[in-house]
Amino acid sequence: KMWDECLSILKEEVHRDTAEIDLLWHAIFLRHVPLSSVVPEVHEQLQRIRQAWERMGVPIDRVSMDSFEAGHWVAQLGAEVQRLNHLYDAEVDFVFPVRNLCFELEELSGLLSQARGWDSNVDWVVDAMRASGVPFDKLYSEYSVLVRIESSSR
């Protein structure tokens, strides 16, 4: 819960250091997301994610030992996103950066689909955001930006 407390301090102090906030969210993700897979291509991608997070300085204090493919982490991480949004409010974008969170979570969701042979709940990120109280119009707007960014990068 230490990372949650750090987010709380940043919110109260109106500290808008996006790099620091991203770092804290990645540390929160690491509590839930297993970073190894029995599918070699997925395992390699997960290791690249972990290495990128380590280069960013994400404190790796606890890593889930569950199976990535089993997907137990999806419900846990979805519940964590919901809990933290209720604490920090999606309207406080600098502490609960909906676009960044959706981007990161969708990347993990895509890897899960790949690991399971594309047999998974592809809507879990949207479901978690909606259940946490993110208004549909805000979510639609953020996903529209993500689609434009993804389209322009190709």
Side-chain angles (χ1 to χ4, degrees):
K1 303 287 183 206
M2 179 173 67
W3 311 126
D4 308 6
E5 295 298 322
C6 291
L7 281 174
S8 181
I9 291 167
L10 294 177
K11 177 187 175 190
E12 293 305 315
E13 297 297 320
V14 193
H15 186 76
R16 296 177 184 268
D17 182 347
T18 56
E20 186 71 26
I21 291 166
D22 284 347
L23 190 84
L24 293 170
W25 276 104
H26 287 116
I28 291 167
F29 292 171
L30 275 176
R31 286 192 293 206
H32 302 285
V33 181
L35 292 178
S36 64
S37 172
V38 296
V39 178
E41 299 82 18
V42 173
H43 182 77
E44 286 175 26
Q45 289 178 292
L46 289 168
Q47 291 308 302
R48 277 192 291 254
I49 290 170
R50 181 185 182 130
Q51 290 166 0
W53 289 356
E54 286 174 340
R55 280 192 303 276
M56 289 172 56
V58 174
I60 300 177
D61 61 338
R62 178 177 160 225
V63 176
S64 174
M65 299 308 288
D66 285 342
S67 162
F68 184 82
E69 291 77 13
H72 299 123
W73 59 271
V74 169
Q76 296 166 356
L77 188 54
E80 185 78 343
V81 167
Q82 291 173 36
R83 185 182 73 75
L84 292 172
N85 183 43
H86 289 301
L87 286 177
Y88 304 124
D89 186 6
E91 295 305 312
V92 185
D93 283 336
F94 68 93
V95 177
F96 195 85
V98 173
R99 183 181 310 150
N100 293 358
L101 294 175
C102 288
F103 178 81
E104 298 284 346
L105 295 173
E106 289 292 354
E107 180 179 24
L108 293 169
S109 181
L111 288 174
L112 179 61
S113 292
Q114 185 179 353
R116 287 183 165 180
W118 303 101
D119 177 33
S120 67
N121 176 6
V122 295
D123 298 333
W124 73 268
V125 177
V126 172
D127 292 344
M129 290 293 175
R130 291 290 298 134
S132 69
V134 177
F136 179 78
D137 58 334
K138 177 163 183 63
L139 202 53
Y140 180 82
S141 172
E142 298 297 354
Y143 269 88
S144 295
V145 171
L146 290 175
V147 167
R148 282 194 302 274
I149 291 169
E150 183 64 28
S151 295
S152 68
S153 69
R154 291 183 181 182

